[in-house]
Structure formats: C-alpha cells, structure tokens
Coordinates of all heavy atoms in Angstrom, one line a residue:
L1 N -6.4 2.4 -3.3 CA -5.2 1.8 -2.8 C -4.3 3.0 -2.2 O -3.7 2.8 -1.1 CB -4.4 1.1 -3.8 CG -3.0 0.6 -3.5 CD1 -3.1 -0.3 -2.2 CD2 -2.4 -0.2 -4.6
E2 N -4.3 4.1 -2.8 CA -3.6 5.3 -2.3 C -4.1 5.6 -0.9 O -3.4 5.9 0.1 CB -3.7 6.5 -3.2 CG -3.0 7.7 -2.7 CD -3.3 8.9 -3.5 OE1 -4.0 8.9 -4.5 OE2 -2.7 10.0 -3.2
Q3 N -5.5 5.7 -0.8 CA -6.1 6.0 0.5 C -5.7 4.9 1.6 O -5.4 5.2 2.7 CB -7.6 6.1 0.3 CG -8.4 6.4 1.6 CD -9.8 6.6 1.3 OE1 -10.4 7.7 1.5 NE2 -10.5 5.6 0.9
C4 N -5.8 3.7 1.2 CA -5.4 2.6 2.1 C -4.0 2.7 2.6 O -3.7 2.6 3.8 CB -5.6 1.2 1.3 SG -5.1 -0.2 2.3
L5 N -3.1 3.0 1.6 CA -1.6 3.1 2.0 C -1.4 4.3 2.9 O -0.5 4.3 3.8 CB -0.8 3.2 0.8 CG -0.7 1.9 -0.1 CD1 0.1 2.1 -1.4 CD2 0.0 0.8 0.7
R6 N -2.1 5.4 2.7 CA -2.0 6.5 3.6 C -2.4 6.2 5.0 O -1.8 6.5 6.0 CB -2.9 7.7 3.1 CG -2.3 8.4 1.8 CD -3.2 9.5 1.4 NE -2.8 10.1 0.2 CZ -1.8 11.0 0.0 NH1 -1.2 11.4 1.1 NH2 -1.5 11.5 -1.2
S7 N -3.5 5.4 5.1 CA -4.0 5.0 6.5 C -3.0 4.0 7.1 O -2.8 4.0 8.3 CB -5.4 4.4 6.4 OG -5.4 3.1 5.8
V8 N -2.5 3.1 6.3 CA -1.5 2.2 6.8 C -0.2 2.9 7.3 O 0.3 2.6 8.4 CB -1.1 1.2 5.7 CG1 0.2 0.4 6.1 CG2 -2.2 0.2 5.4
A9 N 0.2 3.9 6.6 CA 1.4 4.6 7.0 C 1.2 5.3 8.3 O 2.1 5.3 9.2 CB 1.8 5.7 5.9
A10 N 0.0 5.9 8.5 CA -0.3 6.5 9.8 C -0.4 5.5 10.9 O 0.1 5.8 12.0 CB -1.6 7.3 9.7
A11 N -1.0 4.4 10.7 CA -1.2 3.4 11.7 C 0.1 2.6 12.0 O 0.3 2.1 13.1 CB -2.2 2.4 11.3
A12 N 1.1 2.6 11.1 CA 2.3 1.9 11.3 C 3.4 2.7 12.0 O 4.5 2.1 12.2 CB 2.9 1.4 9.9
A13 N 3.2 3.9 12.3 CA 4.2 4.7 13.0 C 4.7 4.0 14.3 O 3.9 3.6 15.1 CB 3.6 6.1 13.3
G14 N 6.0 3.9 14.4 CA 6.6 3.3 15.6 C 6.6 1.8 15.6 O 7.0 1.1 16.5
I15 N 6.1 1.1 14.5 CA 6.1 -0.3 14.4 C 7.1 -0.8 13.3 O 7.2 -0.1 12.2 CB 4.7 -0.9 14.0 CG1 3.7 -0.4 15.1 CG2 4.7 -2.4 14.0 CD1 2.2 -0.7 14.7
D16 N 7.8 -1.8 13.5 CA 8.7 -2.4 12.4 C 7.9 -3.1 11.4 O 7.5 -4.2 11.5 CB 9.7 -3.3 13.1 CG 10.7 -3.9 12.1 OD1 10.9 -3.3 11.0 OD2 11.4 -4.9 12.4
V17 N 7.6 -2.4 10.3 CA 6.6 -2.8 9.3 C 7.3 -2.8 7.9 O 8.0 -1.9 7.5 CB 5.4 -2.0 9.3 CG1 4.5 -2.3 8.1 CG2 4.6 -2.1 10.6
E18 N 6.9 -3.8 7.1 CA 7.2 -3.8 5.7 C 5.9 -4.0 4.9 O 5.0 -4.7 5.4 CB 8.2 -4.9 5.3 CG 7.7 -6.3 5.5 CD 8.6 -7.4 4.9 OE1 9.7 -7.0 4.4 OE2 8.3 -8.6 5.1
T19 N 5.7 -3.2 3.8 CA 4.5 -3.3 3.1 C 4.8 -3.7 1.7 O 5.7 -3.1 1.0 CB 3.8 -1.9 3.1 OG1 3.5 -1.5 4.4 CG2 2.5 -2.0 2.3
I20 N 4.1 -4.7 1.2 CA 4.3 -5.3 -0.2 C 3.0 -5.2 -0.9 O 1.9 -5.7 -0.4 CB 4.8 -6.7 -0.1 CG1 6.1 -6.8 0.7 CG2 5.0 -7.3 -1.6 CD1 6.5 -8.3 0.9
V21 N 3.0 -4.5 -2.1 CA 1.8 -4.5 -2.9 C 2.0 -5.3 -4.2 O 3.0 -5.1 -4.9 CB 1.4 -3.0 -3.3 CG1 0.3 -3.0 -4.4 CG2 1.0 -2.2 -2.1
V22 N 1.2 -6.3 -4.4 CA 1.2 -7.1 -5.6 C 0.2 -6.6 -6.6 O -1.0 -6.6 -6.2 CB 1.1 -8.6 -5.3 CG1 1.2 -9.4 -6.6 CG2 2.1 -9.1 -4.3
D23 N 0.6 -6.1 -7.7 CA -0.4 -5.6 -8.7 C -0.7 -6.7 -9.8 O 0.2 -7.2 -10.4 CB 0.2 -4.4 -9.4 CG -0.8 -3.8 -10.4 OD1 -1.7 -3.1 -9.9 OD2 -0.6 -4.0 -11.6
N24 N -1.9 -7.1 -9.9 CA -2.4 -8.1 -10.8 C -2.6 -7.6 -12.2 O -3.7 -7.7 -12.7 CB -3.6 -8.8 -10.2 CG -3.3 -10.0 -9.4 OD1 -2.1 -10.5 -9.4 ND2 -4.2 -10.5 -8.6
E25 N -1.6 -6.9 -12.7 CA -1.6 -6.4 -14.1 C -2.8 -5.4 -14.3 O -3.6 -5.5 -15.2 CB -1.8 -7.5 -15.1 CG -1.3 -7.1 -16.5 CD -1.3 -8.3 -17.5 OE1 -2.2 -9.2 -17.4 OE2 -0.4 -8.3 -18.3
S26 N -2.8 -4.4 -13.4 CA -3.7 -3.3 -13.6 C -3.5 -2.5 -14.8 O -2.4 -2.4 -15.3 CB -3.6 -2.3 -12.4 OG -4.0 -3.0 -11.2
S27 N -4.6 -2.0 -15.4 CA -4.5 -1.2 -16.6 C -4.6 0.3 -16.4 O -4.7 1.1 -17.3 CB -5.6 -1.7 -17.6 OG -6.9 -1.6 -17.1
D28 N -4.7 0.7 -15.1 CA -4.9 2.1 -14.7 C -3.6 2.8 -14.3 O -3.7 3.9 -13.8 CB -6.0 2.2 -13.6 CG -5.5 1.5 -12.3 OD1 -4.4 0.9 -12.3 OD2 -6.2 1.7 -11.3
G29 N -2.5 2.2 -14.5 CA -1.2 2.8 -14.2 C -1.0 2.9 -12.7 O -0.3 3.9 -12.2
S30 N -1.4 1.9 -11.9 CA -1.3 1.9 -10.5 C 0.1 2.1 -10.0 O 0.4 3.0 -9.2 CB -1.9 0.6 -9.9 OG -3.3 0.6 -10.1

C-alpha cells in the first residue's frame, strides 16, 4: 500500500484529488 500511495502521489500532481484508504482491521499496524 505504501508503494501504491507513492505512485498515486506522483501521478496525481496537478490534479484535484482526494485519497481515502479504508482499512479492514489490519493486524500489521497499517
């Protein structure tokens, strides 16, 4: 997910974007 969000941040430059992550009770401290 960290890698995904990094790529999203790079691709979203100059675009009016909001990003929402819903965590389905992860046990890995996401």
Side-chain angles (χ1 to χ4, degrees):
L1 176 55
E2 177 185 5
Q3 180 173 247
C4 175
L5 290 173
R6 289 183 185 277
S7 73
V8 165
I15 305 173
D16 184 15
V17 172
E18 64 175 357
T19 303
I20 302 172
V21 172
V22 181
D23 184 79
N24 268 346
E25 202 173 36
S26 295
S27 58
D28 65 351
S30 291

